[in-house]
Amino acid sequence: MVVRLLLKFLFLQLFFMLTSCGTYKTQTFSDKIIPIKPNYELESSWAVLPSKYSDDFKKYASNNIDTLKADVFYIYPTLNTSKKDIRWNVPITDKEQKSKIINKAVLFQASAFALSGKMYVPLYRQAHYRSFVKDYKSEGKNALDLAYEDVKEAFKVYLKNYNNNRPIIIAGHSQGARHGVQLLKDFFDNSPLQEKLIAAYLPGIKILPDEFRTVRPMSSPREVGGFVSWNTFKKGKYPKNKYWYKGAVTSNPITWDEKLNTSIEQHKGFLYSDGKLYTKALKIDVTNNGLIWSTNPKFPLRFFMSFLKNYHSGDINLFWQDVRENSLLRTQEWFDKNNK
């Protein structure tokens, strides 16, 4: 068991080193290589619907889903990072990627919201990691735009077939957060649908304070109708390219207010890949350059994490219980305000 967890953790450490340098095998982006467009009228085009929770996911969800009065629309991050994979976009039928979506992203990120609302997770033709790498950005934009086309279409079908005028949480990480930002612009910003927005949780990217016209950054734990975002690094460490973070909205994912630091006692829980919740595991500083600085979390393999400076992959699960409780609080607050 220890060896298996150690290997998982070392893979996490190597992820950013391996994907942030070197060259990728690739091909020219063209209509000929685009995977088949998903049909979101089909349940098979969704990783998660209220009617299709995996057994593992059910452990984190409400015992009676039908009693939940809100919805959560979650968009998973980039999971295709292979340097040998020449595809720009992944078909939703890809078994390896689908397994990662359900058993990693959904299980350790989306699960944080599973008590707040019914969960909707569309499969989409995610863009390959190299879409974010400088040398590939021209064609990478095409891949990211294609991925967003799917997310947008899935959200339209969700509104038409599932929503039934219920309030909504939008959640996403990294590439998923990027698509979440565009969803807010296309459906909520300066639109009547914003009245149905409980909150948008969009960590792992740079979002400017004036990114939207009417959807604003939230700076108190009970605030609704806006968004929160953060990017997590080891205390004292910086990304190589500060453009990605400088000036970004930097929410405090523990206190959810304008406090610039926290004590270890305030941290509610880090959900690790062993399925265990580690409470009072870290403390953070909110920097003035768009970063959350975290101490090395206290958990069995913390020694190995001390070699990692970029905590991007843990933006949600490092604060899993904090996010879980806050999404519940904001959901209740939305109903309290709208039922007066």
Side-chain angles (χ1 to χ4, degrees):
M1 174 64 77
V2 173
V3 173
R4 180 174 63 85
L5 291 176
L6 176 59
L7 289 174
K8 280 187 178 180
F9 191 78
L10 290 176
F11 175 80
L12 176 68
Q13 316 307 302
L14 290 171
F15 171 78
F16 288 103
M17 290 187 288
L18 294 175
T19 56
S20 61
C21 59
T23 58
Y24 293 84
K25 291 186 177 181
T26 189
Q27 61 183 325
T28 302
F29 186 94
S30 72
D31 291 343
K32 295 179 180 179
I33 64 167
I34 294 175
I36 296 173
K37 184 177 181 179
N39 177 0
Y40 292 104
E41 298 286 348
L42 303 176
E43 287 194 4
S44 58
S45 294
W46 296 81
V48 179
L49 289 169
S51 60
K52 54 182 296 188
Y53 284 15
S54 71
D55 289 341
D56 287 336
F57 188 74
K58 287 178 181 177
K59 297 174 185 177
Y60 301 110
S62 170
N63 291 329
N64 192 346
I65 298 171
D66 291 336
T67 64
L68 298 176
K69 298 179 181 179
D71 292 338
V72 180
F73 191 90
Y74 166 79
I75 314 159
Y76 50 84
T78 309
L79 296 168
N80 185 16
T81 61
S82 171
K83 288 182 178 293
K84 297 179 180 179
D85 193 333
I86 66 172
R87 298 175 297 180
W88 281 104
N89 295 86
V90 179
I92 68 167
T93 53
D94 185 295
K95 291 182 179 179
E96 178 182 352
Q97 295 304 318
K98 189 174 180 180
S99 176
K100 291 180 182 179
I101 293 162
I102 294 172
N103 298 316
K104 292 184 178 180
V106 167
L107 205 55
F108 295 102
Q109 289 191 352
S111 58
F113 304 95
L115 292 181
S116 294
K118 294 182 178 181
M119 189 68 58
Y120 295 86
V121 184
L123 297 167
Y124 70 95
R125 292 171 292 180
Q126 63 168 292
H128 190 282
Y129 176 84
R130 69 179 179 280
S131 299
F132 295 96
V133 177
K134 183 178 179 181
D135 292 343
Y136 305 89
K137 275 193 175 180
S138 177
E139 292 186 291
K141 183 180 183 303
N142 294 330
L144 287 164
D145 288 347
L146 179 71
Y148 176 67
E149 284 180 21
D150 288 354
V151 174
K152 184 176 182 179
E153 182 61 26
F155 192 70
K156 287 180 179 178
V157 172
Y158 155 74
L159 289 176
K160 177 171 70 79
N161 292 350
Y162 300 110
N163 176 252
N164 295 317
N165 206 34
R166 293 154 58 88
I168 307 166
I169 291 174
I170 300 294
H173 178 242
S174 195
Q175 180 176 164
R178 181 188 189 275
H179 300 321
V181 166
Q182 196 59 47
L183 272 187
L184 292 184
K185 291 180 177 179
D186 288 346
F187 292 92
F188 295 89
D189 197 22
N190 200 33
S191 164
L193 194 59
Q194 188 178 351
E195 295 179 5
K196 295 294 182 183
L197 180 65
I198 296 172
Y201 293 80
L202 301 172
I205 60 167
K206 177 180 180 178
I207 307 178
L208 296 174
D210 60 353
E211 189 80 37
F212 310 101
R213 291 174 290 176
T214 59
V215 179
R216 308 304 303 162
M218 298 186 296
S219 57
S220 67
R222 292 182 177 272
E223 195 172 351
V224 296
F227 75 95
V228 290
S229 182
W230 62 91
N231 292 283
T232 318
F233 267 70
K234 183 179 180 180
K235 188 170 183 177
K237 302 298 181 180
Y238 292 91
K240 291 181 180 179
N241 186 351
K242 292 185 180 181
Y243 165 79
W244 288 103
Y245 304 93
K246 192 173 182 180
V249 169
T250 313
S251 308
N252 186 323
I254 293 179
T255 63
W256 306 102
D257 56 20
E258 296 182 332
K259 289 185 176 64
L260 298 181
N261 50 64
T262 66
S263 66
I264 201 160
E265 289 77 15
Q266 290 174 293
H267 178 241
K268 294 182 175 63
F270 158 34
L271 182 65
Y272 185 54
S273 59
D274 59 2
K276 295 181 181 179
L277 189 71
Y278 296 92
T279 61
K280 300 179 182 180
L282 56 88
K283 54 184 179 179
I284 63 171
D285 294 317
V286 180
T287 74
N288 61 3
N289 60 8
L291 298 178
I292 292 292
W293 273 349
S294 171
T295 56
N296 186 12
K298 293 183 177 180
F299 72 117
L301 297 177
R302 69 189 307 254
F303 170 77
F304 299 97
M305 195 163 179
S306 66
F307 296 100
L308 182 68
K309 71 175 185 178
N310 188 342
Y311 291 176
H312 174 80
S313 62
D315 279 328
I316 291 179
N317 60 306
L318 282 172
F319 311 103
W320 187 89
Q321 185 66 22
D322 306 84
V323 170
R324 187 172 178 86
E325 293 185 21
N326 183 251
S327 66
L328 278 167
L329 180 65
R330 293 190 199 272
T331 299
Q332 186 59 54
E333 185 69 15
W334 188 94
F335 281 104
D336 289 346
K337 286 186 174 182
N338 286 276
N339 289 335
K340 290 181 179 178

